[in-house]
Amino acid sequence: MHIYLLKKLITLPLILLGVSLLVFVALRALPGDPARLMAGPEAPQEAVDAMRVRLGLDDPLPLQYLRFAGSALGGDLGTSIRSGRPVTVEIAERLPKTISLALVAYGIAISVGLSAGMTAAVNRNRWPDQATMLFAIAGASIANFWLALLAMNYFAVELGWLPLMGSGTWRHYIMPAITLAVMPTAVIARMTRASMIEVVGQDYIRTARAKGLPESVVMRKHALRNALVPIVTIIGLNFGSMLGGAVVTESVFNWPGLGRLLVDSVRFRDYPTVQGVTLVAVTAVVVMNFLAEMLIAAINPRIRFD
Amino acid sequence: MTEITATMAPMDSKARRRRRWLSRRRSIFIGGLLVGLVLLAAILAPLLSPADPYEQVLSDALLPPSWDHPFGTDDNGRDLLARVLYGARLSLLEVVVGVGLAVLVGVPLGLAAGTIGGLVDQVIMWTMDVLFAFPGVVLAILIVSILGPGLFNLLIAIAIFSVPVYARLMRNVALGLKSMDYVEAARALGASTPRIMFDHILRNALGPVIVQSTLTAGTVVLSAASLSFLGMGAQPPMPEWGAMMSDGRNYLGVNIYMSLFPGLAIMLTVLGFNILGDGLRDLLDPRS
């Protein structure tokens, strides 16, 4: 366990180092002069030169990287070209919006996915199973912005039941959260089914049944508890694709979160913000994956010996 | 009670095996059919289209479905059926270029990592882990923000985030085969490392790579459509499905068909690749 933990703990900063290098190089690979970009197209040459000195773009690249990584660690991600405010402030303002949307979506995905997967496993090869599997395959094949557009068209524009865009009330959450939840719900339902079916075939389930426990107790106490390991894994590892989905969903629904900030920043060529949001998002994914792996190792000792 | 007998009786294993074989064939058949339909639509687009996909007839803008325009028309009076059909060509092009580039880069990297090992392995796999840490959409946006929007740049971005999948797969295959008797025998007979790589390992990796390509194809279509929808991929007037929906977004409540039909086309295509990929994977790996 300790060696496994140690290995993982060494990999974590190595991955983050690579991620920050990639993000740094990406910004430096931009065509044109970054100082000119930051100063604006109409700025006089002196202003551009001053900007270059201020940004430290005269220094050798490794030094620039160290400075970038150092200030990023200290919580300084530069200044947004679009708003002129620190990128960290921009991100801090949007982050709660994305987190709250993701939490609601995860809540839906976990409760619906778990119960659908359980129902499917218990009724294996009967219609509830087939219906769940159909939903799981279809759910993983649908473009979430398509669902969003259809929902907006019917529930907001035509029926007027729900607000079309924006955020504020709990009713603003309904369409974006469901849209965002479809993909993870499908994944969780599929994983739950597979995991439950495998567990139900184990000897201890037969023992539990043989000693006369009611089927519902066997399922909930003996089967589900053991089936949870791969389900927790998939939820943890799904965090990245959830964030990816949030980028699209937030843009469709004009949801003022990180994803929309990223898309808007690309549109405005606000490179420091693109860099900052990317760095924060990927760090969150890496840390989440790490936590998921730790949790699995804690629950299931067999994995530690890989 | 029925569950108990089902799990205990080895007698019905023959029937179960047959049922599993049938369902496997069924997913290959259904998935293949869907993918075949898309392929057919792409090939026959000029024959099946009621009009030119780029021709604007502004007097016919935003029409609902009718005999003349089975899917209706868009805001520029272009026939939506024609655009969806020609869109199939773009989507298959996306699959070929996106998956092709990822395979061309990922497979050699994984092969090198698995067969050479040591520092080469560590550096390659570290790079792959770094790329893999990015959510696909986020990495694609970062790359497109540098290269500039456009379908080809987008496909490069999508290929880059798919590379680690193939590198990891290929490395695992190589590691598994390296210690096989016949590979060690070849080595003992004096076969060079490149010869072992290509003659013995690469050839056996064909199956897994094909399965993975089919599964990735769905992701490529979805990602390309998503990013085109956000304005970072295919640009107007290209009849790309995601880009068409980005257009349709401005006409909610006026003409939903501009969004409905391209989205349906995306779903059928991705569904086809996913079902086919699932079936092929089960066929190749009977354990699951």
Side-chain angles (χ1 to χ4, degrees):
Chain A
M1 178 70 190
H2 294 295
I3 293 176
Y4 176 79
L5 233 168
L6 208 67
K7 252 195 204 158
K8 285 283 158 191
L9 268 177
I10 296 171
T11 338
L12 185 69
L14 273 178
I15 297 289
L16 288 178
L17 170 77
V19 168
S20 63
L21 264 174
L22 185 60
V23 172
F24 171 80
V25 169
L27 196 72
R28 290 298 174 276
L30 281 172
D33 180 1
R36 165 63 68 187
L37 264 166
M38 307 266 176
E42 283 101 38
Q45 190 57 42
E46 300 87 70
V48 175
D49 291 340
M51 179 65 83
R52 183 171 299 126
V53 174
R54 196 166 73 78
L55 294 170
L57 292 170
D58 297 339
D59 299 327
L61 275 179
L63 188 65
Q64 287 187 38
Y65 170 74
L66 283 182
R67 196 164 35 226
F68 159 73
S71 31
L73 281 175
D76 175 13
L77 292 168
T79 311
S80 158
I81 296 178
R82 187 154 63 110
S83 68
R85 299 191 307 158
V87 171
T88 327
V89 173
E90 293 268 351
I91 292 176
E93 270 179 20
R94 312 289 187 106
L95 198 58
K97 285 286 181 190
T98 296
I99 291 179
S100 63
L101 181 62
L103 281 181
V104 177
Y106 255 137
I108 297 172
I110 292 173
S111 44
V112 177
L114 265 186
S115 31
M118 289 268 293
T119 315
V122 173
N123 296 291
R124 199 176 171 192
N125 292 327
R126 287 199 289 266
W127 72 263
D129 183 21
Q130 280 151 0
T132 304
M133 286 315 284
L134 192 70
F135 163 77
I137 295 178
S141 308
I142 284 178
N144 59 4
F145 55 94
W146 181 58
L147 273 189
L149 291 179
L150 293 185
M152 288 162 99
N153 186 69
Y154 294 111
F155 298 116
V157 178
E158 289 190 356
L159 296 167
W161 290 351
L162 293 168
L164 182 64
M165 284 179 179
S167 72
T169 67
W170 63 270
R171 298 178 45 188
H172 284 93
Y173 276 91
I174 298 176
M175 288 196 295
I178 292 179
T179 311
L180 189 53
V182 169
M183 187 79 97
T185 306
V187 174
I188 292 173
R190 207 174 169 167
M191 196 70 211
T192 306
R193 175 185 180 273
S195 183
M196 281 294 281
I197 286 176
E198 198 187 324
V199 168
V200 165
Q202 302 288 321
D203 285 347
Y204 55 81
I205 297 297
R206 199 171 52 182
T207 311
R209 278 181 183 144
K211 72 182 184 190
L213 287 179
E215 188 64 22
S216 60
V217 176
V218 176
M219 280 299 156
R220 245 178 302 128
K221 284 218 159 152
H222 296 252
L224 183 61
R225 215 170 265 188
N226 286 293
L228 271 180
V229 180
I231 300 169
V232 171
T233 321
I234 210 79
I235 293 171
L237 297 182
N238 214 252
F239 183 72
S241 67
M242 183 76 144
L243 267 185
V247 172
V248 183
T249 309
E250 286 181 5
S251 300
V252 186
F253 288 105
N254 238 342
W255 187 268
L258 270 193
R260 224 191 95 210
L261 180 62
L262 181 63
V263 173
D264 288 351
S265 305
V266 171
R267 212 162 279 156
F268 282 87
R269 305 190 157 267
D270 184 352
Y271 295 107
T273 311
V274 173
Q275 194 177 27
V277 174
T278 311
L279 205 56
V280 168
V282 182
T283 307
V285 173
V286 172
V287 171
M288 278 297 282
N289 288 355
F290 174 73
L291 291 179
E293 280 176 354
M294 285 297 102
L295 192 64
I296 303 152
I299 301 174
N300 186 352
R302 270 174 292 180
I303 295 168
R304 293 172 213 149
F305 297 106
D306 264 2
Chain B
M1 271 321 272
T2 47
E3 276 94 346
I4 296 177
T5 46
T7 50
M8 281 171 60
M11 271 144 50
D12 67 356
S13 69
K14 207 179 251 174
R16 253 172 72 189
R17 217 179 301 148
R18 226 180 92 188
R19 194 161 59 197
R20 212 180 287 168
W21 186 85
L22 267 176
S23 88
R24 209 171 280 159
R25 287 295 146 100
R26 196 174 54 193
S27 34
I28 292 178
F29 178 73
I30 297 174
L33 195 72
L34 284 173
V35 173
L37 272 177
V38 178
L39 191 65
L40 217 60
I43 296 171
L44 299 180
L47 293 175
L48 298 173
S49 296
D52 182 283
Y54 291 101
E55 191 192 280
Q56 303 188 1
V57 186
L58 291 174
S59 54
D60 286 350
L62 298 169
L63 292 177
S66 64
W67 272 116
D68 289 339
H69 303 288
F71 284 5
T73 57
D74 71 2
D75 52 327
N76 286 310
R78 292 173 295 202
D79 183 79
L80 279 172
L81 175 61
R83 290 182 68 74
V84 169
L85 286 171
Y86 276 89
R89 294 185 161 191
L90 283 176
S91 288
L92 292 180
L93 180 79
E94 286 164 5
V95 168
V96 171
V97 177
V99 174
L101 279 179
V103 169
L104 278 181
V105 178
V107 166
L109 282 178
L111 189 63
T115 35
I116 299 172
L119 193 64
V120 175
D121 182 25
Q122 276 176 357
V123 170
I124 291 178
M125 291 329 279
W126 172 70
T127 317
M128 295 299 112
D129 285 346
V130 168
L131 285 180
F132 208 68
F134 284 80
V137 175
V138 174
L139 184 58
I141 288 179
L142 183 70
I143 296 170
V144 168
S145 76
I146 298 159
L147 299 178
L151 187 60
F152 187 67
N153 289 348
L154 172 67
L155 291 176
I156 292 179
I158 289 176
I160 291 178
F161 80 62
S162 312
V163 162
V165 177
Y166 292 97
R168 284 182 171 186
L169 175 79
M170 195 58 226
R171 179 176 178 267
N172 282 340
V173 172
L175 283 181
L177 290 175
K178 209 163 73 165
S179 52
M180 296 288 255
D181 285 344
Y182 76 95
V183 174
E184 284 187 349
R187 197 179 288 280
L189 285 171
S192 62
T193 303
R195 180 168 180 135
I196 288 178
M197 274 183 176
F198 293 107
D199 267 13
H200 299 285
I201 294 178
L202 197 57
R203 213 173 267 183
N204 283 293
L206 198 63
V209 168
I210 288 175
V211 171
Q212 190 55 54
S213 303
T214 318
L215 289 169
T216 321
T219 321
V220 168
V221 173
L222 265 186
S223 312
S226 300
L227 288 149
S228 294
F229 177 73
L230 293 177
M232 297 180 192
Q235 302 294 316
M238 267 189 170
E240 206 273 347
W241 293 334
M244 288 168 71
M245 288 161 80
S246 170
D247 215 6
R249 181 187 185 177
N250 302 322
Y251 295 93
L252 292 180
V254 182
N255 183 313
I256 188 61
Y257 308 106
M258 285 173 70
S259 308
L260 179 72
F261 290 116
L264 265 180
I266 293 175
M267 187 175 84
L268 289 179
T269 310
V270 179
L271 202 61
F273 279 118
N274 283 350
I275 296 177
L276 183 66
D278 272 356
L280 288 176
R281 183 180 51 196
D282 287 351
L283 195 72
L284 211 81
D285 177 20
R287 275 173 308 142
S288 56

